Amino acid sequence: MAGIPVNVPGTWAGIFSAEWGEDTHARELMKRFSPIALTKANTPVQYLRTLADVLASLIVLTGAEEARTAAAPLVPLCAAGIEQAGGFFDSVDPPRVALQVLSFVNAAEACGAAQGMVTASPAKAWLEALAKKVKKLDDVLLYRCGLVALCLGEPDLAAKLVGGGKLPATLTPGEQFGFNVQGFVRYLATAMKVGAPSEAVRPAWESFVEGFPKIKAAEQVSWSDLLWAARAYFVGVEGRPVARVGESLHALVKPA
């Protein structure tokens, strides 16, 4: 695992600090690139993939309302972006590009700017194709693939993507996984498959969220991954509406 760069905050307090200023940076990037993306409506992939993590960070750091306003003008590009990304899925670095575009769509849905596009996308077919060649893919990409599979209601596919063998038949309540993202994804998959109550799963989820800044600083996860994980937990385990995911996550991490 990569070491944590000393200049990247490893705590939520550090990420929210004015000195780090990531919320301001996200606002500036959305403001700068959104108008450009709208002038490139025939080729939406480039800017949707670029803005996926930006929008995800905006949701986490500022809340769903501001992010929804920022995302709304770009939502009309999403359907074409998914189609275009799928069209070159077998060309240069296709899984990462396609899943980044899908991550923008997920962020738009998590803040209430869009709905139903992730489940209507060909993402399941993409993941099933990737599951046949997991040995050729890096772990970080596979973590995201597993989280997306969970959000599509496919726990067995998630387990196949991240590895570790067949899912257990029962869930041990209260487990925590630290930097073990693979274990966390498999735990969520097991919880979804056996229909575990949210109180049994919540410690693992809250531990993942608490440790996210350090895992992100070690370049093992991204803002988009956190939002996929939030959707997997809040929707797949707690049963909340997708449109409430962003605000639920923001409320969990923002300083008191």
Side-chain angles (χ1 to χ4, degrees):
M1 179 175 293
I4 300 176
V6 296
N7 61 326
V8 177
T11 65
W12 282 110
I15 287 176
F16 273 96
S17 68
E19 291 79 8
W20 182 246
E22 188 151 358
D23 56 340
T24 300
H25 186 55
R27 290 185 179 103
E28 290 174 349
L29 289 176
M30 288 296 297
K31 185 176 180 180
R32 182 187 309 168
F33 287 113
S34 291
I36 301 173
L38 293 173
T39 67
K40 307 287 186 179
N42 292 329
T43 55
V45 165
Q46 177 182 352
Y47 290 99
L48 293 185
R49 67 175 295 205
T50 299
L51 292 172
D53 272 358
V54 178
L55 180 58
S57 68
L58 196 65
I59 290 170
V60 178
L61 299 175
T62 70
E65 184 176 356
E66 181 174 340
R68 183 166 57 249
T69 299
L74 298 175
V75 170
L77 304 181
C78 288
I82 291 172
E83 182 178 0
Q84 188 181 79
F88 57 70
F89 195 77
D90 291 325
S91 62
V92 180
D93 201 17
R96 213 172 303 274
V97 172
L99 290 172
Q100 271 297 95
V101 171
L102 196 68
S103 291
F104 181 91
V105 179
N106 180 56
E109 292 188 0
C111 68
Q115 60 180 351
M117 300 182 74
V118 169
T119 54
S121 75
K124 182 181 176 182
W126 295 349
L127 297 178
E128 288 173 339
L130 294 175
K132 297 176 182 178
K133 51 182 179 180
V134 291
K135 293 182 179 180
K136 298 180 180 179
L137 305 175
D138 64 83
D139 288 343
V140 176
L141 177 60
L142 290 173
Y143 297 154
R144 176 171 300 167
C145 289
L147 290 168
V148 175
L150 292 178
C151 295
L152 295 174
E154 300 287 341
D156 287 320
L157 179 57
K160 189 173 182 180
L161 286 158
V162 300
K166 185 178 179 180
L167 292 172
T170 58
L171 182 92
T172 302
E175 288 196 38
Q176 299 180 29
F177 295 90
F179 274 71
N180 181 6
V181 182
Q182 178 202 39
F184 174 66
V185 174
R186 286 180 55 81
Y187 192 75
L188 285 183
T190 303
M192 292 174 63
K193 187 169 183 178
V194 305
S198 59
E199 57 267 24
V201 187
R202 191 173 299 119
W205 160 242
E206 292 183 345
S207 175
F208 176 77
V209 173
E210 182 180 359
F212 172 81
K214 289 184 179 179
I215 307 173
K216 179 179 178 294
E219 300 181 350
Q220 295 300 297
V221 289
S222 67
W223 289 113
S224 292
D225 298 326
L226 178 61
L227 212 54
W228 283 114
R231 180 169 177 159
Y233 174 75
F234 285 126
V235 179
V237 177
E238 288 198 357
R240 300 190 195 188
V242 175
R244 288 186 56 199
V245 167
E247 196 56 53
S248 298
L249 179 56
H250 174 66
L252 185 62
V253 301
K254 69 180 180 180

